[in-house]
Every structure is written in structure tokens, then in C-alpha cells.
Amino acid sequence: MPKTVSSFELTLNSRRQHQTLTSWLYEELRLAILESRLGPGTRLPASRDFAGQYGLSRGTVVSVLERLQAEGYVSCRVGFGTWVNHVEAPPPTRQTTSTPPAYIRRVISAYKRPKPFVDLAFTEGIRPFRVGNPATTEFPSELWGRIAADRARNFRSWLRTEDDGRGYRPLRDAIAEYLRASRGVRCSSEQIIMVSGIQQALDLLSRLLLKQNDPVWIEDPGYFGATVAFGNAGARIIAVPVDDEGLSVSAGTKICPHARGVYLTPGHQFPLGVTMSLKRRMAVLNWASRTGAFVIEDDYDSEYRFAGQPVPALQSLDNHSNVIFIGSFSKTMFPSLRQGYVVLPPSLVDYFLSFRYRTDFWNSTLDQAVLCDFIVDGHLARHLRRMRNLYASRLAALIEGGKQHLGGLLELSNVRAGLYTIGFLKNGMTSRQAETLAAAQGIEVLAADRYTLKRPDPKALVLGFAAYNETEIGQGLVRLAKALS
């Protein structure tokens, strides 16, 4: 059994009146073992140190340890110390109330899983065609580790860097240069504020920009995270339909012409995958300028376009400071990095910072310093070029394999971008029926109606492809075809 040294003081309950020290210490240690607060293999401090920690005599501690050893709870060896054994006995039963307190019942009644996650079973491991996973096995982790180790050894290089709440300044400089070159974003590092990701950006922006019952346009179908964030802020969600040119501005103005703002994924609409046309981009900017509305542009995976010219960000067309641009490195690098950014109009920066201080004050500077080095030294650009080629070949394998195996069952989109694609059912099934049958065959696809607000079921499935090689994609298509037949 591996041994681990318990270097922390164990929290012990107060001694009952008239209870002896020996009885009290025995009961507390025994209970800690049974409740796994002292896990198997944990080595206890030496009796002299133990006695000093709790103000006991060494004799009392030795007496208790000898009793615990006799009963099989611990093992002792001279020169090796005392450690906890694996104990099969169940923990003691504690009385609990069958009905949650009133405050918990209010939470249960008010907050439920977002629609995309209702009745959705999460399985262990990653299997085709789970949505949202980049090819993390292809990330240069050894290189990243060397950069992180160097920064950790030289922590003064980032520890003393001035941070006004926006984030590590050299990283913001690097991101500004990257966005100007690759996405056409017009910004300086002063306009960039680091956050933990897209969802934190949406949470902060929705609570800053919206009041109770303020109307806000949301793409339908669209990203559920935006719906959750705006709903939490008390906003009134206005579902605006999406077609092959993106969000329909004319439909939005008919439904609610004076909405406070709009949330968009114009570079690669989620989940339909279309790119917003120039005509629609100008229409939404003209509407926002005329009504004084904000536009939140979510650029979640626009780096990955495999055909045609890169499409500049909507923000690059904005002349009236209506567009707020948000992005993250979850898709370009790895999700657990938890580094995102908000590009704000200059006049909004100080107000956003002041509001952000209500939730937290500082960013994780070490991670940002490592990310900065990764970008500045050219590693991100090389990684993106490599992953574009890899993802393009995997998407091509998915589309070609779909033609071979899914004819008459599922027609895959020809959009060549992103880390996922959408397929429209041709066999008469609903989205949920197809999702359930696919799960029975060990295939993870998402029903498109999980992302709708008022729109009828699109009868489509969302398939991720980035994390799976050609062999896995081919095998997954065979099983998917079996499920949909």
C-alpha cells in the first residue's frame, strides 16, 4: 500500500464533558479513519509531534495508537512510523433529514439543467462524435511543459508585472497583434480584458449591459450558454431565426425592433455552421447603430476555415463602437487552459473592469505568462497551421464516409470550417430519436433541437470530428448508419 504523509492537522471535534482524553482521541481518530478523512496508506505524525500538535501527553497518544493497532485500524513499525490500514467496515450512519431545507428547495425549483443537457447522459472517455473536443493528443504538451517550467523557475518575471485587472500586459499585447493580423479586429491591448473563457465573458457582459426584462436577440438555433447567461441576468430572450445567411435581421426587427442587444456567432454559426453574409453583417451593424444596441460577437472557432478566404471579424466593420468581441483558446489549444478575452469599445473598458471587481480581482498570471511565450515565440501560429491541415483531412474523411455509409439517412453539411458539422436527417426520424438510437450503438451525437428556442425541430444531428482520426471516424459512421437504418 502506498504511504502518504499527513502533513496537515486533522480537525477534531470538541471533547464532551467528563470524557477522558484517551477516549476522546480514540473515538476521533477511529471516526476519521472510517469516514476516510484519514485514507488508507496515510502516515500519521510521530507520537511526540502528534502530542505537541494537540497539547496532549505523549503517553496518551501512544496508548490510543496501540489500541487502534490492536483493532486493525493502523499499523506501526519501529523506524517506519504509523500508517492507516484499509478498513472494510462501513462508515457510521448519520441522521439526515429526508426533506431539503427551504432554501435548497427554492434553488431546485428555480434552476434546472439547460435544455441541451436535459436527459443527456455523459459517458466516460471520448468517443465519436462528441461535440466540443479539439485534438488534445496533438497538442505539443512537452513544449508547453518546458515553457511552463521555465516560467515557474523564474517566477519574478511575471509575479511583479503590474496587473490592473485586465490581465498580463505582455499577453494582451500579443493577443492584440494576433487578432489584428488574423481576424482583422481593430483594437489595442488597452481594450482587452482576460477572462476564464467565453462563458465568464457572457456572464459578466449580460449582467453589466442588461436589466430585468430587457429584450435581447439570440440566434435560433444557437449557443445555449448565451441563453443561460442572459436568462440569469433576468433578460427577456428574443429568439431570432437563422437561415443560410445567418441571423435574419429583418425577422428580428419585426419581432422586437428595440432590443437592447444581440448575441451572434457570425464567423461559424453554432450549430448550423453557416457564415453570416456581408449583407446581413451590415444590416445588424446599421440596426445596432440606429437603436444604440450592443452586439456581442462570439468568435469561438473561426481560426479553423478549410476552404476559401478567411472571413474578417464583424468587429472590423464596426464604426460606432457597438461590437464587443469575445474569444478563447479552448478550441485552438486545450479546454482546461481556461483563458479567454473580451475586446471592448474604449469607452466601456473602465466600467467593465469596475463591474468585474464584484466577482474577482486578478487573473492567473502564471498561465498567462506561459501562454504569452507560446504566442510570441511563434508556437501558436505553427500549431494552428498544423491543426488546420489535420482537421481539414478529418472533416473530408467524415464527409466522404458519410456519402458512402449514410446515403438516404443523413446528409452532412458541406461547410468546411470548425470542429464539428451538422447533418440533416433524411429517414423521417426526429432529432431526439436519432440521438437515442445512436447512443445505443455507442455513438455520441447531439440532437439539433437541443439548441432551438422557438424553432421547430430541424431534424438534424451535430457531429464533432476534430478529436477522432480517420479510422475512428470510419468505424463511427458504420455504427451511426446502423443506428439510423
Side-chain angles (χ1 to χ4, degrees):
M1 180 186 302
K3 309 298 188 296
T4 58
V5 179
S6 178
S7 58
F8 301 100
E9 290 190 12
L10 179 68
T11 300
L12 304 179
N13 293 313
S14 300
R15 183 161 59 100
R16 299 189 303 273
Q17 190 176 12
H18 305 306
Q19 186 180 24
T20 65
L21 285 172
T22 302
S23 173
W24 165 76
L25 182 60
Y26 166 77
E27 289 183 6
E28 289 299 308
L29 290 179
R30 177 178 175 275
L31 187 61
I33 294 171
L34 291 175
E35 292 182 339
S36 296
R37 288 186 285 127
L38 287 175
T42 300
R43 199 176 79 187
L44 300 179
S47 58
R48 191 183 305 278
D49 295 335
F50 201 109
Q53 285 180 9
Y54 297 98
L56 304 170
S57 70
R58 187 184 178 196
T60 297
V61 175
V62 171
S63 174
V64 169
L65 293 179
E66 287 177 347
R67 180 177 176 184
L68 291 172
Q69 181 183 22
E71 294 176 0
Y73 291 102
V74 301
S75 294
C76 304
R77 286 182 61 189
V78 176
F80 290 92
T82 302
W83 63 89
V84 177
N85 293 330
H86 180 76
V87 180
E88 296 291 345
T93 303
R94 293 192 171 184
Q95 291 184 349
T96 58
T97 57
S98 57
T99 304
Y103 78 93
I104 295 180
R105 294 199 300 274
R106 285 194 293 270
V107 171
I108 293 172
S109 63
Y111 296 100
K112 299 178 181 179
R113 275 190 172 193
K115 179 181 175 181
F117 295 137
V118 174
D119 301 325
L120 181 64
F122 293 91
T123 59
E124 292 290 336
I126 299 175
R127 59 184 184 178
F129 294 98
R130 183 179 294 183
V131 176
N133 294 338
T136 53
T137 56
E138 301 296 327
F139 183 76
S141 55
E142 291 186 3
L143 172 62
W144 179 267
R146 289 196 296 271
I147 297 173
D150 181 66
R151 280 293 191 170
R153 285 192 297 267
N154 300 283
F155 69 96
R156 289 180 179 83
S157 64
W158 51 266
L159 185 64
R160 296 181 179 178
T161 302
E162 182 179 353
D163 187 348
D164 62 358
R166 305 179 202 211
Y168 184 57
R169 176 59 183 265
L171 174 60
R172 291 189 287 114
D173 289 339
I175 291 175
E177 182 179 351
Y178 163 67
L179 292 177
R180 289 193 296 263
S182 66
R183 304 294 298 121
V185 174
R186 296 184 290 179
C187 69
S188 70
S189 60
E190 299 299 318
Q191 297 171 246
I192 297 175
I193 296 179
M194 300 302 299
V195 291
S196 66
I198 294 291
Q199 200 59 40
Q200 187 187 27
L202 289 172
D203 174 69
L204 291 170
L205 288 169
S206 61
R207 290 188 289 121
L208 173 66
L209 300 172
L210 295 166
K211 297 179 180 179
Q212 190 75 22
N213 294 320
D214 277 352
V216 59
W217 289 359
I218 300 286
E219 296 170 319
D220 187 15
Y223 174 52
F224 73 91
T227 305
V228 170
F230 294 132
N232 288 343
R236 180 160 53 95
I237 306 299
I238 307 299
V240 181
V242 175
D243 58 26
D244 57 2
E245 289 189 74
L247 178 134
S248 174
V249 181
S250 60
T253 53
K254 289 179 182 178
I255 300 169
C256 181
H258 297 289
R260 296 293 185 216
V262 58
Y263 166 83
L264 295 170
T265 52
H268 186 222
Q269 200 278 332
F270 186 86
L272 298 183
V274 299
T275 299
M276 195 174 201
S277 68
L278 179 61
K279 178 182 177 181
R280 292 282 177 86
R281 289 171 182 245
M282 298 309 301
V284 77
L285 290 175
N286 289 334
W287 168 79
S289 176
R290 185 174 66 253
T291 61
F294 64 82
V295 178
I296 297 178
E297 178 179 8
D298 184 347
D299 199 59
Y300 68 99
D301 73 351
S302 296
E303 294 88 352
Y304 297 124
R305 179 165 295 278
F306 316 127
Q309 295 297 317
V311 179
L314 174 67
Q315 193 262 15
S316 68
L317 302 171
D318 178 30
N319 293 320
H320 301 283
S321 296
N322 293 104
V323 178
I324 300 167
F325 185 88
I326 62 177
S328 82
F329 293 93
S330 295
K331 301 294 188 293
T332 54
M333 297 178 66
F334 52 95
S336 60
L337 179 60
R338 307 311 304 149
Q339 294 293 335
Y341 49 86
V342 182
V343 182
L344 295 158
S347 59
L348 190 58
V349 172
D350 288 341
Y351 296 98
F352 183 93
L353 273 177
S354 298
F355 186 81
R356 192 245 177 93
Y357 286 147
R358 299 184 182 193
T359 58
D360 65 356
F361 300 121
W362 311 111
N363 298 282
S364 174
T365 312
L366 172 59
D367 291 340
Q368 292 185 28
V370 176
L371 176 57
C372 177
D373 291 348
F374 193 82
I375 297 174
V376 171
D377 293 343
H379 304 305
L380 177 61
R382 286 189 289 273
H383 178 64
L384 285 176
R385 287 194 295 269
R386 179 170 174 265
M387 300 314 289
R388 283 193 194 100
N389 292 332
L390 178 67
Y391 292 156
S393 65
R394 291 182 174 183
L395 177 56
L398 179 64
I399 293 175
E400 292 305 312
K403 294 177 181 178
Q404 179 181 352
H405 299 289
L406 300 176
L409 301 173
L410 190 74
E411 183 180 340
L412 295 176
S413 168
N414 282 320
V415 174
R416 304 271 178 163
L419 308 183
Y420 71 91
T421 192
I422 191 167
F424 294 91
L425 291 159
K426 301 298 180 181
N427 59 356
M429 289 183 183
T430 66
S431 299
R432 293 299 179 98
Q433 288 172 338
E435 179 191 274
T436 301
L437 291 171
Q441 293 293 328
I443 296 298
E444 292 189 45
V445 292
L446 286 179
D449 76 329
R450 291 185 179 274
Y451 302 101
T452 58
L453 296 171
K454 292 186 176 181
R455 179 173 176 159
D457 178 13
K459 294 187 176 181
L461 297 174
V462 184
L463 297 82
F465 60 83
Y468 317 105
N469 61 39
E470 283 80 353
T471 300
E472 292 169 327
I473 288 172
Q475 294 172 346
L477 288 171
V478 171
R479 295 165 77 176
L480 181 59
K482 183 178 180 181
L484 300 182
S485 296

